[in-house]
Amino acid sequence: MTKPILPGEVAAAIVDPVAYGQWDALHDQLAWARAKAPLAVAENPDFDPFWLVTRHADIMAISKDPQRFANGVRPTVLTNRDGEAIARAATPNNDGHLVRSLVQMDAPDHMKYRLLTQSWFMPKNLKIVEDRIRTLARASIDRMLEQGGETDFARDVAAHYPLRVIMDILGVPPEDEPRMLMLTQQLFGSTDPELNRSREAITSAEQAIAMLNYVIADFENYFRDLTADRRANPREDI
């Protein structure tokens, strides 16, 4: 059976970061794929071929079948061939996981790590968290209203509110928000000259990985100290 191949312009848009800032055009291309080629291979010169799945039912079926569709084989999605090779060479197990989170784990590790905090997210604790989250949400809206009728939602609300929720769950004190925001932006924007640590354009995968490693080390140092404090002085946070 011949594999369905996406048109070149659709495949190119999927791996182009700029396309995600021009949502209407990308939305049209994804809508076309969903209608005409809901399960098809994307081929690009700098990437290994990959399957693009665009229908909700198919995505749900895949997400519920971890035996067939593994998460840990590749470090991230939409990483070009050279970048993945460098990431794999930079990791001890050659797996490319510079940061290994739950979404990149398969059995048995996935459940082992989930169980570390699963009990904390039981209904009793979530009720307490819900009240605090509502307080944070109201504070965010109040700050937005203080802008005088005009605000940059991404800068003034979206960048801060989710971070404050996560900080509250982890027990990070509010005064450390600037540091957490900076590190978070550097982690997810390691190739963005407006956000990364060097404030310069990143021209190679080696540079990007170096930037990530610096940020990861800072996160590890911060939470190592926080963990030591919680072991000595337990609290209700996670």
Coordinates of all heavy atoms in Angstrom, one line a residue, residues 4 15-16 25 36-37 46 57 84 89 92 98 101 103 111-112 119 127 135 139 146 150 176 190 201-202 209 232:
P4 N 0.2 7.8 1.8 CA -0.2 9.1 1.3 C 0.9 10.2 1.7 O 1.4 10.2 2.9 CB -1.5 9.4 2.0 CG -1.4 8.5 3.3 CD -0.6 7.3 2.9
V15 N 6.7 22.5 9.7 CA 8.0 22.5 10.4 C 8.5 24.0 10.4 O 9.6 24.2 10.9 CB 9.0 21.6 9.8 CG1 8.5 20.2 9.9 CG2 9.3 22.0 8.3
D16 N 7.7 24.9 10.0 CA 8.2 26.3 9.9 C 7.7 27.1 11.1 O 6.5 27.4 11.2 CB 7.7 26.9 8.6 CG 8.2 28.4 8.4 OD1 9.1 28.8 9.3 OD2 7.8 29.0 7.5
A25 N -3.4 31.2 7.7 CA -2.9 30.4 6.6 C -2.6 29.0 7.0 O -2.9 28.0 6.3 CB -1.6 31.0 6.0
K36 N -8.6 16.0 3.4 CA -8.1 15.3 2.2 C -7.0 14.2 2.6 O -6.9 13.2 1.8 CB -7.5 16.3 1.2 CG -8.4 17.4 0.8 CD -9.6 16.8 0.0 CE -10.5 18.0 -0.6 NZ -11.6 17.5 -1.4
A37 N -6.3 14.5 3.6 CA -5.2 13.5 3.9 C -5.0 13.5 5.4 O -4.0 14.0 5.9 CB -3.9 13.9 3.2
D46 N 15.2 18.7 5.5 CA 16.1 18.7 6.7 C 15.5 17.9 7.8 O 16.1 17.8 8.9 CB 16.2 20.2 7.2 CG 16.9 21.1 6.2 OD1 17.8 20.6 5.5 OD2 16.6 22.3 6.2
A57 N -10.4 12.0 16.3 CA -10.6 10.6 16.7 C -9.3 9.8 16.5 O -8.9 8.9 17.4 CB -11.6 10.0 15.8
E84 N 18.6 16.9 16.0 CA 18.4 15.7 16.8 C 19.7 14.9 16.9 O 20.0 14.4 18.0 CB 17.4 14.9 16.1 CG 17.0 13.6 16.9 CD 15.8 12.9 16.4 OE1 14.9 13.5 15.8 OE2 15.7 11.7 16.6
A89 N 23.9 13.1 20.6 CA 25.3 13.0 20.9 C 25.7 13.7 22.2 O 26.6 13.3 22.9 CB 26.2 13.6 19.8
P92 N 23.9 11.2 27.6 CA 24.6 10.0 28.0 C 24.1 8.7 27.3 O 24.9 7.8 26.9 CB 24.5 9.9 29.5 CG 24.2 11.3 29.9 CD 23.4 11.9 28.8
L98 N 17.4 16.2 26.5 CA 18.0 17.2 27.3 C 17.2 17.4 28.6 O 17.7 17.7 29.6 CB 18.3 18.4 26.5 CG 19.2 18.3 25.3 CD1 19.1 19.6 24.5 CD2 20.6 17.9 25.7
S101 N 10.6 14.7 30.6 CA 9.4 14.9 31.4 C 8.5 13.7 31.2 O 8.7 12.8 30.4 CB 8.8 16.2 31.0 OG 8.3 16.1 29.6
V103 N 5.7 13.5 29.6 CA 5.2 13.3 28.2 C 6.2 12.6 27.3 O 5.9 12.2 26.2 CB 4.8 14.6 27.6 CG1 3.7 15.2 28.3 CG2 6.0 15.6 27.5
M111 N 4.7 5.6 34.8 CA 3.8 5.4 36.0 C 4.6 5.6 37.3 O 4.1 6.1 38.3 CB 3.2 4.0 36.0 CG 2.2 3.8 37.1 SD 0.9 5.0 37.3 CE 0.0 4.7 35.8
K112 N 5.9 5.2 37.3 CA 6.7 5.4 38.5 C 6.8 6.8 38.8 O 6.7 7.2 40.0 CB 8.1 4.8 38.2 CG 8.2 3.3 38.2 CD 9.6 2.8 37.9 CE 9.7 1.3 37.9 NZ 11.0 0.8 37.6
S119 N -0.8 11.2 44.6 CA -1.6 11.4 45.8 C -1.9 12.8 46.1 O -3.0 13.2 46.7 CB -1.0 10.7 47.0 OG 0.2 11.2 47.3
K127 N -9.2 20.8 45.9 CA -10.2 21.8 46.3 C -9.4 23.0 46.9 O -9.8 24.2 46.7 CB -11.1 21.2 47.4 CG -12.1 22.2 48.0 CD -12.9 22.9 46.9 CE -13.9 23.9 47.5 NZ -14.7 24.7 46.5
T135 N -8.1 32.9 43.3 CA -7.6 34.1 43.8 C -6.5 34.7 42.9 O -6.5 35.9 42.6 CB -6.9 33.9 45.2 OG1 -7.9 33.4 46.1 CG2 -6.3 35.1 45.7
A139 N -6.8 38.2 40.7 CA -5.7 39.2 40.8 C -5.2 39.6 39.4 O -4.9 40.7 39.1 CB -4.5 38.7 41.6
E146 N -6.4 47.5 35.5 CA -5.7 48.6 35.9 C -4.9 49.3 34.8 O -4.4 50.4 34.9 CB -4.7 48.3 37.1 CG -5.4 47.9 38.4 CD -4.4 47.3 39.4 OE1 -3.2 47.2 39.0 OE2 -4.8 47.0 40.5
E150 N -6.7 49.2 27.9 CA -5.9 48.6 26.8 C -4.7 47.8 27.5 O -4.1 48.3 28.4 CB -5.3 49.6 25.9 CG -4.5 49.0 24.7 CD -4.1 50.1 23.7 OE1 -4.8 51.2 23.7 OE2 -3.1 49.9 23.0
D176 N 10.1 35.1 43.8 CA 11.0 34.5 42.8 C 10.4 34.4 41.5 O 10.9 33.8 40.5 CB 11.4 33.1 43.3 CG 12.4 33.1 44.4 OD1 13.0 34.1 44.7 OD2 12.5 32.0 45.1
S190 N 14.9 29.3 23.6 CA 16.4 29.3 23.6 C 16.9 29.7 22.2 O 18.1 30.1 22.2 CB 16.9 27.8 23.9 OG 16.4 26.9 22.9
A201 N 21.2 36.1 18.1 CA 20.6 35.0 17.2 C 21.4 33.7 17.3 O 22.6 33.8 17.4 CB 20.6 35.5 15.7
I202 N 20.7 32.6 17.4 CA 21.3 31.3 17.5 C 21.4 30.8 16.1 O 20.4 30.6 15.4 CB 20.5 30.4 18.4 CG1 20.4 31.0 19.8 CG2 21.1 29.0 18.4 CD1 21.7 31.2 20.5
I209 N 21.7 24.1 22.1 CA 21.8 23.1 23.1 C 22.6 23.7 24.3 O 22.3 23.4 25.5 CB 22.5 21.8 22.6 CG1 21.5 21.1 21.7 CG2 22.9 20.9 23.7 CD1 22.0 19.9 21.0
A232 N 13.5 19.7 55.1 CA 13.8 20.1 56.5 C 12.5 20.8 57.1 O 12.3 20.7 58.3 CB 14.9 21.1 56.5

